[in-house]
Amino acid sequence: MNRYEIKFDISEYKIFKIIRDYKLKILYPQRIISSIYFDTLNYNYFTDSEEGQTPRKKIRLRSYNKDENRSLEFKYTRAYHREKIVIKNFVYNYKNLLSEIKKLNINDLIHPKLLVSYNRQYFTSSIGRVTIDKNITYQKVNNNLKILSGSINDPKTVLEVKIQEVNFDKYEVLKFFDLRETRNSKYCNGVNLFNE
């Protein structure tokens, strides 16, 4: 099913007030998410995302609470929705990665670029599922997933509404939250911070 994601920068707000004012109910315990993003040598995925190109894709390895088990995820952004393919318990080596992406007709030569880690809280609301991401950090990695750089901290806090409905009205979400919608890609934010 198609998924819709609407993001809000809530860095200037107190999280407890957002939770209280919008009557968010805890869905799962919070956890640390670590994602390693892949891109081409010339950062084509980054450029497509920065320019808002559709369709575009992201490829990442994701783990939770520093667990060794990783999922390989493919996110496709279309004009009005997103699709996600997840391969659980993926054993990473470069050959496995290239083999897996070829099955999805992706012929790009990609490499690990950035490790993004953050704390995620999970909620339900009357408008849909909500996550809040904070304590976001970025580190560069090499082909063996070894860290190549110091850590850069991102002061942003991001609230995201995730909806999987056929008849979805985005304006209902915007009216409900009464916050300013923002485009937000942690991967792009990290690349930009390293390039400053």
Side-chain angles (χ1 to χ4, degrees):
M1 184 180 280
N2 297 341
R3 184 159 105 161
Y4 303 89
E5 298 174 351
I6 302 172
K7 299 176 183 181
F8 303 95
D9 184 344
I10 59 167
S11 307
E12 295 175 12
Y13 297 86
K14 301 279 189 202
I15 292 176
F16 80 89
K17 285 193 72 180
I18 293 282
I19 294 169
R20 181 193 68 201
D21 293 350
Y22 293 105
K23 298 179 173 56
L24 304 183
K25 304 281 188 253
I26 294 172
L27 182 60
Y28 308 117
Q30 63 183 342
R31 55 188 178 174
I32 297 168
I33 295 179
S34 298
S35 297
I36 294 170
Y37 286 85
F38 295 81
D39 207 333
T40 64
L41 195 60
N42 295 321
Y43 286 86
N44 293 344
Y45 296 178
F46 164 78
T47 303
D48 286 350
S49 184
E50 284 287 270
E51 293 177 355
Q53 294 287 333
T54 54
R56 64 180 181 269
K57 57 188 168 282
K58 279 186 181 163
I59 301 173
R60 68 189 179 202
L61 268 181
R62 176 163 279 191
S63 63
Y64 298 93
N65 292 330
K66 302 186 178 177
D67 191 343
E68 291 299 312
N69 289 326
R70 294 187 174 118
S71 297
L72 181 62
E73 299 184 353
F74 302 86
K75 280 185 83 170
Y76 297 94
T77 300
R78 312 289 184 197
Y80 298 104
H81 68 275
R82 293 173 192 224
E83 299 167 33
K84 187 157 89 165
I85 297 168
V86 178
I87 300 165
K88 294 191 175 183
N89 300 316
F90 181 75
V91 178
Y92 174 79
N93 64 52
Y94 197 60
K95 190 176 174 185
N96 281 357
L97 175 72
L98 295 181
S99 169
E100 210 57 59
I101 68 173
K102 278 196 182 352
K103 291 178 191 172
L104 295 169
N105 295 317
I106 299 171
N107 296 309
D108 303 328
L109 189 59
I110 60 171
H111 304 279
K113 296 290 187 183
L114 199 68
L115 168 62
V116 181
S117 297
Y118 52 95
N119 184 283
R120 172 166 283 179
Q121 296 172 272
Y122 300 84
F123 303 94
T124 57
S125 74
S126 60
I127 205 79
R129 198 175 133 224
V130 174
T131 58
I132 295 177
D133 297 341
K134 61 183 181 178
N135 303 326
I136 305 164
T137 62
Y138 308 107
Q139 292 173 293
K140 289 184 178 181
V141 292
N142 67 14
N143 275 350
N144 297 317
L145 311 186
K146 300 296 181 202
I147 292 168
L148 295 175
S149 70
S151 181
I152 293 181
N153 297 321
D154 190 333
K156 280 195 180 88
T157 301
V158 179
L159 182 147
E160 189 172 327
V161 183
K162 302 167 193 289
I163 296 178
Q164 288 181 306
E165 290 179 11
V166 176
N167 299 315
F168 161 69
D169 185 353
K170 177 179 178 177
Y171 297 100
E172 277 186 35
V173 176
L174 297 177
K175 188 174 165 187
F176 176 84
F177 275 102
D178 192 29
L179 298 165
R180 191 169 54 83
E181 182 186 8
T182 183
R183 283 188 72 232
N184 187 73
S185 161
K186 293 180 188 74
Y187 172 61
C188 290
N189 293 345
V191 172
N192 281 324
L193 283 170
F194 272 108
N195 287 336
E196 282 181 357

